[in-house]
Amino acid sequence: MLRTRFTEEFGIEHPIVQGGMMWVGRAELVAAVANAGGLGFITALTQPTPDDLRREIERTRELTDKPFGVNVTILPSINPPPYAEYVQAIIESGVKIVETAGSNPEPFLPYYKEAGVKVLHKCTSVRHALKAQKIGVDGVSIDGFECAGHPGEDDIPGLILIPAAARVLEIPMIASGGIADARGLVAALALGADGVNMGTRFLCTAESAIDQKVKEQIVANSELDTQLIFRTMRNTARVADNEISRKVVEIEKAGGTFEDVRELVAGARGRRVFEEGDLDAGIWSAGLAQGLIHDIPTCGELIARMVSEAEQLITARLADVVA
């Protein structure tokens, strides 16, 4: 048993989290993670409306009686979703853990607090983590440069970012980016984290509702098979290497603007990758952890393996290092 501040304060068995992933964080995956003793997050904005989110929460409850949460990512948008209504749906559905990401969650914190909801905020820098702690979140997820999606603009890898954050934070912290196995879990704990968050690794599990060809591509890929797009726009995103992401990088290098790549990076195209298995239909998030993924286990198998191997590493291999 691996007991940490995070498992104690968030009421879960193992310090392993499946964070929100657009088009991926659905009931089947979230419930499988929960049933295995981890913490899974439904991705709120994958659901077209707040009422659809309510139904997805109920579907998840039909599949598990363990704790799970909902991710709400707030990003700049020409036509922003009705965030307040999604928050209301979460609270009225009785969900007690929320993962926030993107913009500052402060406007919604009073509503979460009043409803007894614990808030875990995703950060890509120590300064953002300190700000999140100051405004009253219950925990932070610190994302190193290795992570899929948006790693921020500081380019600080986990080996530095995790202990730098641990040194100054007082609330529980989980580590994200480049973690896919027991070695990453033990390393994160040694660096000062209270648990780990994994995206790409959970993307490549039996219960992940994406096309099998995408999972097989993740297994085939190495740590070299990602691209950093939107670098010139100061909105960096790490995505899988494919025909589309390479084209976006070329357009940026030639001086192109967002308008020049808008059609290529449309979310609907990325959704086609996951749902139809057309690996070059659009961009899709994947982290450097691809290089550590060599199978497609169930969530139960993955979490049990990670915990068992982590315990062995801590009690045997590392214990033997001490004279």
Side-chain angles (χ1 to χ4, degrees):
M1 175 74 75
L2 301 174
R3 181 175 292 123
T4 71
R5 284 194 305 164
F6 184 75
T7 61
E8 294 295 302
E9 294 189 25
F10 282 75
I12 57 172
E13 185 177 353
H14 304 306
I16 299 172
V17 176
Q18 164 257 310
M21 293 178 281
M22 195 66 177
W23 314 125
V24 181
R26 301 176 187 270
E28 290 79 7
L29 175 61
V30 173
V33 172
N35 286 331
L39 176 60
F41 284 98
I42 297 169
T43 306
L45 298 185
T46 292
Q47 301 304 316
T49 70
D51 282 338
D52 287 307
L53 175 59
R54 287 184 173 90
R55 286 188 282 271
E56 193 71 3
I57 290 170
E58 285 308 308
R59 280 212 315 128
T60 308
R61 285 210 175 98
E62 292 170 2
L63 299 172
T64 185
D65 59 0
K66 302 286 184 67
F68 64 89
V70 176
N71 163 280
V72 182
T73 298
I74 301 175
L75 295 172
S77 174
I78 297 172
N79 298 302
Y83 291 115
E85 294 178 29
Y86 278 97
V87 170
Q88 185 178 12
I90 292 166
I91 291 171
E92 291 177 352
S93 296
V95 171
K96 293 303 179 183
I97 305 174
V98 165
E99 178 187 61
T100 57
S103 300
N104 189 334
E106 188 170 14
F108 299 107
L109 286 184
Y111 304 104
Y112 289 136
K113 294 292 184 183
E114 184 179 349
V117 177
K118 286 190 176 293
V119 177
L120 180 70
H121 186 62
K122 297 187 74 171
C123 308
T124 60
S125 70
V126 175
R127 64 185 181 278
H128 291 148
L130 284 170
K131 177 64 181 297
Q133 177 176 268
K134 183 178 180 180
I135 65 174
V137 303
D138 301 283
V140 296
S141 173
I142 197 85
D143 285 18
F145 187 53
E146 306 94 333
C147 73
H150 294 276
E153 304 303 316
D154 294 340
D155 298 0
I156 308 297
L159 192 62
I160 303 299
L161 186 59
I162 298 166
R167 184 173 62 86
V168 296
L169 289 173
E170 298 174 359
I171 57 177
M173 174 189 70
I174 61 173
S176 180
I179 299 166
D181 57 23
R183 289 168 295 183
L185 171 56
V186 173
L189 296 176
L191 290 169
D194 301 293
V196 297
N197 172 80
M198 301 189 300
T200 307
R201 175 66 273 195
F202 279 117
L203 195 64
C204 195
T205 56
E207 294 90 350
S208 168
I210 64 173
D211 193 274
Q212 183 72 9
K213 288 191 284 293
V214 181
K215 300 178 188 182
E216 291 171 357
Q217 188 62 51
I218 292 172
V219 171
N221 282 350
S222 78
E223 64 276 11
L224 301 176
D225 295 310
T226 69
Q227 293 284 343
L228 291 170
I229 63 173
F230 305 153
R231 291 292 267 173
T232 61
M233 306 168 200
R234 301 285 296 170
N235 187 30
T236 301
R238 187 181 297 281
V239 299
D241 177 61
N242 68 0
E243 179 183 315
I244 301 298
S245 61
R246 288 192 295 272
K247 188 170 183 179
V248 171
V249 171
E250 288 174 9
I251 292 171
E252 285 192 68
K253 286 181 178 178
T257 66
F258 181 74
E259 290 303 316
D260 298 311
V261 300
R262 178 193 289 269
E263 192 275 330
L264 292 174
V265 302
R269 293 184 62 146
R271 185 175 185 176
R272 281 181 51 207
V273 174
F274 287 152
E275 295 184 353
E276 300 173 16
D278 181 348
L279 298 171
D280 287 311
I283 60 167
W284 49 286
S285 292
L288 299 186
Q290 287 182 119
L292 303 174
I293 297 172
H294 308 296
D295 62 355
I296 308 172
T298 66
C299 291
E301 291 166 344
L302 173 62
I303 292 175
R305 181 172 70 196
M306 284 184 65
V307 171
S308 174
E309 291 180 0
E311 290 172 348
Q312 275 195 311
L313 279 169
I314 294 167
T315 60
R317 183 174 182 272
L318 293 181
D320 291 342
V321 173
V322 180

